[in-house]
Amino acid sequence: MMIWDWNLSKPSESIKKHSGTWDKGIDYKQTYKMFKEDLQKLKNKELLYEDDYKRIAYLITFLFQLRNGCRIWEAIAGMINIAINIDNLNWNERITVKVRTQKRKDWEFRELIIPKCIKKEDIEMVRDVFLDIKKEIDEKLTMDEKLKAKKKIVKRFGAWLYKNYGINTHSLRYAYVTYLGEHGIPAQVLAKITKHKNINYIETYTQSRLAKEILKNIGDLDD
């Protein structure tokens, strides 16, 4: 499979610290089910407009992001790679794709896996949407123009998600982190899966979530 580099970030780019406002505390299983059901509803209806196909492409991308706990551009880049290589993939097996990890100075690649609910015919249906996104980047002549185009695409995806579901893209990433943490996955492994360079950050986040759950659910003797 040919790997395309759609990272478009500079090695010296600073890594911003999040204030915590991105974490909406969404439930991984409920969100996965919601996206999956909404995707199926769209697939079952008669698709008359270009926006119908875009909605399907967005939902596939967000399912992809949620399933991998990745950043939104990593998910978009992964879907572009899949759209490009669709006929070269073995769809009888689990499909994985490599993308460059965002916000890392070492230009590391990470592997993403397609959710089982997403089939080849789903990608074929919206392949042109992802190829058009690729074209938005290709048409730009300079790296600065490409970076601006990338930010515009990311903003467009984020705005759609917030408008339709009231959540932001980064909350999907941490829904997966929380889900794995609840299943006893060690922080070191979580950091490897989600490509967090700072293990302490993962430990602090998962411990804070656990502390909130303990405070909420353990201690009342009134029942």
Side-chain angles (χ1 to χ4, degrees), residues 95-129:
I95 303 296
T96 59
V97 61
K98 286 187 177 181
V99 298
R100 284 192 183 271
T101 305
Q102 293 283 282
K103 298 191 177 182
R104 290 286 294 266
K105 295 181 180 180
D106 52 10
W107 293 77
E108 183 179 2
F109 279 92
R110 66 172 300 179
E111 197 167 61
L112 306 177
I113 190 164
I114 300 180
K116 289 182 178 180
C117 62
I118 297 175
K119 309 299 182 184
K120 181 180 181 180
E121 53 266 29
D122 299 329
I123 308 299
E124 288 175 330
M125 188 187 309
V126 295
R127 185 170 183 255
D128 287 345
V129 176

Side-chain angles (χ1 to χ4, degrees), residues 168-184:
N168 56 58
T169 59
H170 218 64
S171 63
L172 301 182
R173 174 167 166 78
Y174 283 90
Y176 189 58
V177 171
T178 302
Y179 181 70
L180 294 184
E182 289 171 347
H183 283 72

Side-chain angles (χ1 to χ4, degrees), residues 209-220:
R209 291 298 301 270
L210 178 60
K212 287 181 181 179
E213 288 301 311
I214 291 173
L215 182 64
K216 184 170 66 175
N217 297 311
I218 299 177
D220 289 315

Side-chain angles (χ1 to χ4, degrees), residues 11 19 31 35 68 72 79 91 109 147 157-158 160 203 217 220:
S19 63
T31 307
F35 285 164
N68 290 279
I72 183 57
M79 292 312 306
W91 290 89
F109 279 92
L147 287 168
F157 271 76
W160 188 92
E203 288 178 336
N217 297 311
D220 289 315

Side-chain angles (χ1 to χ4, degrees), residues 16-70:
K16 296 180 181 178
K17 293 183 178 179
H18 297 286
S19 63
T21 55
W22 39 258
D23 179 15
K24 300 297 183 182
I26 66 172
D27 182 82
Y28 175 85
K29 291 176 70 174
Q30 289 179 358
T31 307
Y32 190 101
K33 181 181 179 183
M34 176 178 64
F35 285 164
K36 182 180 175 182
E37 289 177 349
D38 288 353
L39 176 61
Q40 191 59 50
K41 288 176 185 176
L42 280 171
K43 287 163 55 179
N44 289 340
K45 66 175 284 190
E46 184 180 4
L47 303 178
L48 300 175
Y49 306 103
E50 182 181 347
D51 281 351
D52 292 332
Y53 293 95
K54 286 183 178 179
R55 281 194 285 269
I56 291 175
Y58 285 160
L59 280 171
I60 287 174
T61 304
F62 293 131
L63 265 170
F64 189 47
Q65 183 191 7
L66 179 67
R67 172 59 181 81
N68 290 279
C70 61

